[in-house]
Amino acid sequence: MQPNLLMIEDDVELAEILCNFLKRYNIIVTNYEDPYLGISALSLTKYDLLILDLSLPGMDGLEICKEVRSKSDIPIIISSARSDLEDKIIGLELGADDYLPKPYEPKELYARIMSVLRRYKKSHSTCEDVSSSALLLKEESHTILFNNTPLTLTPAEYDVLGHLIKKNNCVVSRTELLNSTLSLNEDNESRSLDVLISRIRTKLGESSKEPHFIHSVRGIGYRLQA
């Protein structure tokens, strides 16, 4: 099946270059220069992934990210010339799965897209459920239950929490967690892992100051005790 992507990008020339490049890999991309039209399209059509610029006319991309995430768990890759670290952290905190600073080669965007979509394809394979006392990892349906209630997770959050569930009660290094999450890498995304852990903790109803499930192990990584 051809991946069907939505792009919100007001740089017409760049959008055309990216769309034509991704078309070589049988990836369909529909671009909207107007962010409001892009949001409307997302509510009318099922897309597999959103590529989102931040500097858009009439509406900031971070606001779009927040609005989209409040309604959908669609994977979001931010593609922006705003390389400020704070923008990157805020974007991830709002629910983006990856942040690709411009300029970049189209092939890198393709690699990031495939790394995110690959996680969804895992749901089509038959896997055994993995559980702890409070959390149940259902790999076949790509779902994690918390006290028998499905959690709403982004792909990156699912990867990190799923890996911790598999290693329940074991200390998992930061490197191992980064390697389990294809959209992150150890060189420049270490702080992004902390953001993901913080978001997961919030969804489990805990904080870093009073963790009940995910415990930080100084200098090493994290341990799930559930």
Side-chain angles (χ1 to χ4, degrees):
M1 178 182 290
Q2 288 182 308
N4 186 23
L5 276 54
L6 173 67
M7 181 187 294
I8 303 179
E9 169 63 67
D10 68 333
D11 186 331
V12 178
E13 184 177 354
L14 174 62
E16 185 176 358
I17 290 171
L18 295 176
C19 290
N20 288 336
F21 180 84
L22 294 172
K23 189 176 180 180
R24 300 182 201 171
Y25 296 90
N26 294 317
I27 296 177
I28 302 169
V29 182
T30 303
N31 182 61
Y32 287 90
E33 302 165 42
D34 186 319
Y36 296 98
L37 293 178
I39 293 172
S40 296
L42 189 60
S43 65
L44 297 173
T45 306
K46 186 181 185 307
Y47 293 99
D48 299 305
L49 184 142
L50 170 63
I51 302 170
L52 177 64
D53 186 22
L54 292 187
S55 300
L56 294 163
M59 189 175 189
D60 188 81
L62 292 174
E63 286 298 317
I64 297 173
C65 183
K66 182 179 180 180
E67 181 172 339
V68 170
R69 183 55 72 231
S70 69
K71 301 174 181 177
S72 170
D73 63 352
I74 183 175
I76 301 173
I77 296 178
I78 292 177
S79 161
S80 177
R82 282 158 50 176
S83 57
D84 185 88
L85 179 61
E86 198 61 31
D87 277 336
K88 186 174 185 178
I89 296 301
I90 292 173
L92 291 167
E93 288 176 337
L94 290 175
D97 299 279
D98 206 348
Y99 192 110
L100 189 55
K102 298 174 182 174
Y104 54 81
E105 292 294 326
K107 195 167 186 178
E108 182 177 3
L109 176 61
Y110 167 73
R112 302 285 187 108
I113 290 169
M114 297 310 296
S115 74
V116 173
L117 294 180
R118 197 176 296 123
R119 288 189 287 273
Y120 280 97
K121 293 180 181 179
K122 289 180 182 179
S123 64
H124 297 293
S125 60
T126 302
C127 304
E128 293 183 0
D129 294 345
V130 181
S131 66
S132 62
S133 58
L135 292 157
L136 174 63
L137 171 63
K138 298 179 73 67
E139 292 190 301
E140 184 174 2
S141 60
H142 206 77
T143 305
I144 295 177
L145 303 182
F146 177 50
N147 291 332
N148 297 317
T149 301
L151 290 169
T152 301
L153 302 168
T154 66
E157 291 168 357
Y158 173 88
D159 281 350
V160 169
L161 183 55
H163 197 76
L164 287 171
I165 292 172
K166 292 177 182 178
K167 296 293 186 75
N168 190 33
N169 288 318
C170 296
V171 176
V172 183
S173 70
R174 298 178 67 86
T175 299
E176 184 176 341
L177 282 173
L178 288 166
N179 288 338
S180 76
T181 310
L182 298 175
S183 63
L184 303 180
N185 62 79
E186 188 177 8
D187 293 334
N188 58 18
E189 301 294 352
S190 182
R191 188 177 173 189
S192 299
L193 176 61
D194 296 328
V195 172
L196 286 174
I197 291 292
S198 177
R199 282 168 22 193
I200 293 169
R201 278 174 166 157
T202 298
K203 292 179 180 182
L204 296 178
E206 65 175 20
S207 68
S208 59
K209 294 181 179 179
E210 297 182 0
H212 299 292
F213 301 105
I214 301 177
H215 301 266
S216 301
V217 181
R218 185 180 296 275
I220 301 176
Y222 296 94
R223 175 173 58 86
L224 176 71
Q225 188 173 7

